Amino acid sequence: DQQVKQNSPSLSVQEGRISILNCDYTNSMFDYFLWYKKYPAEGPTFLISISSIKDKNEDGRFTVFLNKSAKHLSLHIVPSQPGDSAVYFCAASRGGKLIFGQGTELSVKP
Amino acid sequence: SQTIHQWPATLVQPVGSPLSLECTVEGTSNPNLYWYRQAAGRGLQLLFYSVGIGQISSEVPQNLSASRPQDRQFILSSKKLLLSDSGFYLCAWSETRTGGQPQHFGDGTRLSIL
């Protein structure tokens, strides 16, 4: 039973355009949601998080949107840069434990 | 600033051999510590977490064990490795276990069992 799902294994975007990464969850008890970025042969790096009581959080080029009624969150990257090419994981938190999605590989083409 | 170290970066072990992976954190005290495994094409699965010295919680039944002999040291072990233990193992730390605190990851160990 996968509580956090990223249904798109890959996404390709042109440099300068918007990247939208999606994540769905099933457990309404999650209190925080986080996004991580991972390069090959490295550990994930924390990007941005959002509390379950909010619907939007913004940090520079990264914005996370939360739709609790749909149990859906998304990460927007604007504008996308080639250096953003990586695997992105969403994670849901309950009691400090994180449950991760399978990841989406983003490729930003020049 | 805080840093986390994991070693070795890669490891090839025969089936039935023992395992010891080590993780240390610098620049913080009493961190929460975690071991994750990422199987090919899958997300990260939490294996163990620790909120203090000698305190280990296991999330999934498995062939592995964890120990925390010192405040900032976390060790993942096995007495006899199985083929299914292959994967990418990641250690992480956080300030507390309350929600919203991000976990910070090491660079991982790629474990291949032959």
Side-chain angles (χ1 to χ4, degrees):
Chain A
D1 176 30
Q2 201 151 5
Q3 298 186 62
V4 180
K5 292 184 181 180
Q6 294 174 257
N7 292 316
S8 298
S10 62
L11 174 67
S12 184
V13 172
Q14 206 69 30
E15 181 180 6
R17 306 294 290 269
I18 184 172
S19 295
I20 300 176
L21 299 137
N22 294 302
C23 181
D24 297 296
Y25 62 95
T26 57
N27 190 338
S28 58
M29 299 301 290
F30 290 131
D31 51 8
Y32 281 87
F33 301 89
L34 302 89
W35 284 94
Y36 284 82
K37 174 182 180 180
K38 185 182 180 302
Y39 293 118
E42 294 184 10
T45 302
F46 170 71
L47 273 176
I48 190 169
S49 63
I50 186 168
S51 165
S52 62
I53 63 173
K54 296 191 175 181
D55 55 18
K56 177 182 175 181
N57 188 27
E58 190 172 355
D59 184 2
R61 295 187 298 117
F62 302 92
T63 303
V64 57
F65 295 92
L66 177 62
N67 182 334
K68 286 181 65 178
S69 60
K71 294 190 176 66
H72 177 85
L73 68 154
S74 60
L75 175 69
H76 293 211
I77 306 174
V78 182
S80 301
Q81 300 172 354
D84 295 329
S85 297
V87 177
Y88 289 78
F89 290 96
C90 68
S93 171
R94 184 181 176 195
K97 295 182 190 178
L98 295 183
I99 297 175
F100 285 82
Q102 312 94 304
T104 296
E105 184 171 9
L106 173 65
S107 176
V108 180
K109 302 194 180 303
Chain B
S1 64
Q2 301 90 351
T3 56
I4 179 168
H5 303 280
Q6 242 188 284
W7 66 93
T10 59
L11 189 60
V12 181
Q13 292 283 97
V15 171
S17 64
L19 172 75
S20 181
L21 302 180
E22 190 163 342
C23 170
T24 59
V25 180
E26 296 176 359
T28 186
S29 296
N30 197 31
N32 295 316
L33 297 172
Y34 311 84
W35 277 111
Y36 287 86
R37 175 170 58 203
Q38 184 184 15
R42 306 288 296 273
L44 281 68
Q45 182 185 35
L46 179 63
L47 302 176
F48 300 96
Y49 67 89
S50 172
V51 299
I53 295 174
Q55 301 179 62
I56 309 293
S57 295
S58 174
E59 287 297 294
V60 293
Q62 59 207 307
N63 183 42
L64 302 167
S65 62
S67 61
R68 185 170 177 175
Q70 299 180 44
D71 181 43
R72 290 168 289 174
Q73 183 185 29
F74 206 21
I75 298 173
L76 184 69
S77 305
S78 175
K79 292 182 180 178
K80 284 188 178 182
L81 286 167
L82 306 172
L83 282 174
S84 58
D85 291 324
S86 292
F88 189 51
Y89 288 84
L90 288 155
C91 181
W93 73 273
S94 70
E95 291 288 352
T96 70
R97 275 192 61 226
T98 56
Q101 289 288 338
Q103 294 176 17
H104 306 280
F105 288 82
D107 283 338
T109 295
R110 175 73 59 192
L111 176 63
S112 300
I113 309 300
L114 303 179

